[in-house]
Amino acid sequence: MKVRDKNKVLQAANFIEELAWLLNSKKKVDLESISELLRSQIDPAQSVIPEVQQVNKLKHYIGVLPFLLQDKELFRTNMDIVDFAENLFSIKMSRNDRRSRYELIGFIVTEITKVDKDKLLTVMDALSVLTESDDKLIQFKKSRNNIDFSWNEAISKLNKS
């Protein structure tokens, strides 16, 4: 047996010996109940998507956002874009500045990275429903014409669908 293999075997034996000692010293600890307790602490509604996947998902969504904001049926005026950013993401924008549609979209896309990630994921998950279904987008555009339209209510409804 090579020296390196011998060292690995000795390390494994030492580890097992220490683990056995630890388990024997804690005989009164019910490991099954501890594992059940730990599992009960997890909120089933909570996302278990690893952080990296969430960041990648956000990058994708933020990339889709300019296409939605450029839709002139969904956002007829620049004020519609400003209202969207303020109501959903709490991005404060000056209503007196005369900015082009593209400047507003660029500002929102850069500022959106400062928004709370969980809130952003919730809103962007809902908006992704619109980008994935032409029928839902058409329905949404029709509801957008209602006088009492609210972005927060609309996003809430999209999240339920």
Side-chain angles (χ1 to χ4, degrees), residues 36-50:
E36 289 173 15
L37 176 67
L38 289 172
R39 284 187 181 91
S40 72
Q41 298 302 309
I42 297 174
D43 179 7
Q46 184 180 1
S47 173
V48 290
I49 299 172

Side-chain angles (χ1 to χ4, degrees), residues 58-75:
L58 282 173
K59 286 179 183 177
H60 166 74
Y61 283 157
I62 292 172
V64 169
L65 192 58
F67 293 103
L68 274 177
L69 293 173
Q70 288 182 57
D71 187 325
K72 292 192 177 182
E73 287 181 66
L74 198 54
F75 299 96

Side-chain angles (χ1 to χ4, degrees), residues 21-125:
W21 176 82
L22 179 65
L23 291 172
N24 285 334
S25 70
K26 305 292 184 190
K27 284 183 181 178
K28 293 181 182 177
V29 175
D30 183 5
L31 294 177
E32 261 184 64
S33 65
I34 291 173
S35 68
E36 289 173 15
L37 176 67
L38 289 172
R39 284 187 181 91
S40 72
Q41 298 302 309
I42 297 174
D43 179 7
Q46 184 180 1
S47 173
V48 290
I49 299 172
E51 190 69 27
V52 173
Q53 283 183 326
Q54 284 185 339
V55 169
N56 289 338
K57 194 175 183 183
L58 282 173
K59 286 179 183 177
H60 166 74
Y61 283 157
I62 292 172
V64 169
L65 192 58
F67 293 103
L68 274 177
L69 293 173
Q70 288 182 57
D71 187 325
K72 292 192 177 182
E73 287 181 66
L74 198 54
F75 299 96
R76 290 179 296 278
T77 67
N78 286 359
M79 287 311 298
D80 291 339
I81 294 173
V82 170
D83 288 338
F84 170 83
E86 288 180 349
N87 289 322
L88 288 182
F89 302 115
S90 302
I91 296 174
K92 298 296 177 204
M93 303 175 79
S94 173
R95 292 177 177 264
N96 297 332
D97 287 350
R98 301 221 10 111
R99 294 184 180 181
S100 71
R101 178 177 286 265
Y102 299 110
E103 287 175 313
L104 289 173
I105 293 169
F107 181 78
I108 292 168
V109 169
T110 56
E111 289 296 306
I112 209 164
T113 59
K114 300 173 186 172
V115 174
D116 174 66
K117 300 292 184 245
D118 291 331
K119 181 177 182 178
L120 184 57
L121 268 174
T122 301
V123 172
M124 297 309 286
D125 277 339

Side-chain angles (χ1 to χ4, degrees), residues 126-137:
L127 290 176
S128 72
V129 170
L130 296 178
T131 62
E132 294 168 0
S133 169
D134 290 338
D135 292 336
K136 288 193 180 194
L137 182 58

